[in-house]
Amino acid sequence: MLRVFKTPEKRLGSAPGTLHEESADFGFLAACTSYNEDVFEHSSCDTVEACIEAIGREGTINWLNVTGDAIHGVLREIGRKLNVHDLVLEDIQNASQPLKFEEYDNFVFIVVKSLMYSHIREDFIIADTKILVGENYVITFSAEPVPMYLKLFKRLSQKNTKLRKLGVPYLLFALLDALSDGSYETLNRIIDIMEDLEGTVQENFQDFDVAEIYRIKQLMGHAKRSLWRYMEIINSIKVSDYMDIPDDVLPYYKDLEDHYKHMRDIVESVHATATDMFNLYVSLNGQQMNEVMKVLTIFSAIFIPLTFIAGLYGMNFQNMPELAKPWGYPAVLGLMTAVAGAMLVYFRRKKWF
């Protein structure tokens, strides 16, 4: 989990605003959707030039969605065309950024986080989404595909919808809402996993996957800290002079704020449950260890006097009358048996086993 906070070594010591070429597995994928009330165009942008041309279309709202890590070329051209500050471009390229809302003269830069399942890492992650919002465009950057965007594309393709009529502020809301829905979907999957783990820890805790619950505990702790700042981001959008949210769109942001408050409550509950399950496992494991130690201690306690008796009669003194008697050996065995039996009865009455 801590790897998400690491800074690549080649970026350390670089000048602020420096873009670095990344060695990504799949480069970048980009798709542009241009629309207004009457027009809808959706196309893939296979080159940097196509991406730049897409966000420069006039008379439509343009949404450019860029996916992948190797986006240095796209960023340089976007920065040149839209006059985006180098520090913003660097923040877009860096893998993990804190939530932020930055308002500039000609655009707004937003960083948000969402829960999702990474098919690359094959694990649940908290993914960054970086968003540039301009007068007639929205550009989203993410390291991996966001499944909920597909539903958003479908809604955009339908005529006479609010998404086609209410402009950039509503598109930004729809994107944040899609990320929220994706986080809810991921939370449901995590809750299903935890229910299975909860049954395991109660029925047979030895088969309990403590590593899995520890990962979930860490993930929820990170998500909880991130969600606390969502209210600040949404409030910044609502009062932004550049965004100038219309009155008919403002209620949707208030509803989005309620969604994130609800999600925060769920995350806190899941985190608390994961912590309780982890502590329960530690407690049960310690209890089992105590039972093992109790049995070993009882055996040790029984053999202490038996060892003393055996050691006593194992001394090679000449004047030990019992050694010469025919009943000496059976008598010593009987004494040992009596001592062991008496100790077992005593331990049993004390309910030590």
Side-chain angles (χ1 to χ4, degrees), residues 154-262:
K154 185 176 180 180
R155 288 167 54 195
L156 275 171
S157 65
Q158 299 171 354
K159 286 187 176 182
N160 300 321
T161 60
K162 294 177 182 177
L163 197 53
R164 295 277 289 270
K165 296 178 180 179
L166 295 181
V168 169
Y170 192 84
L171 174 59
L172 176 60
F173 155 75
L175 288 167
L176 296 176
D177 189 53
L179 294 173
S180 169
D181 290 342
S183 295
Y184 271 117
E185 185 179 58
T186 305
L187 270 176
N188 288 337
R189 293 180 62 180
I190 292 174
I191 291 172
D192 290 339
I193 292 173
M194 289 189 59
E195 287 178 348
D196 294 337
L197 290 173
E198 189 174 18
T200 302
V201 75
Q202 291 176 351
E203 295 173 4
N204 185 8
F205 83 96
Q206 292 179 336
D207 295 333
F208 180 69
D209 190 351
V210 65
E212 180 70 15
I213 200 65
Y214 182 72
R215 283 196 297 270
I216 292 176
K217 179 177 177 293
Q218 278 194 315
L219 182 71
M220 292 298 101
H222 187 193
K224 183 170 67 171
R225 290 187 293 272
S226 298
L227 287 171
W228 275 108
R229 290 210 57 204
Y230 259 101
M231 305 304 107
E232 179 184 337
I233 299 297
I234 296 174
N235 285 329
S236 297
I237 294 173
K238 291 193 297 185
V239 301
S240 168
D241 292 333
Y242 183 86
M243 292 298 302
D244 191 21
I245 305 296
D247 292 339
D248 55 347
V249 177
L250 195 59
Y252 295 100
Y253 281 93
K254 293 179 180 178
D255 183 66
L256 181 65
E257 191 173 5
D258 291 338
H259 285 181
Y260 277 107
K261 287 180 180 178
H262 181 231

Side-chain angles (χ1 to χ4, degrees), residues 201 213 217 269-282:
V201 75
I213 200 65
K217 179 177 177 293
S269 177
V270 173
H271 180 260
T273 302
T275 301
D276 291 343
M277 290 172 62
F278 183 80
N279 292 338
L280 177 61
Y281 171 80
V282 173

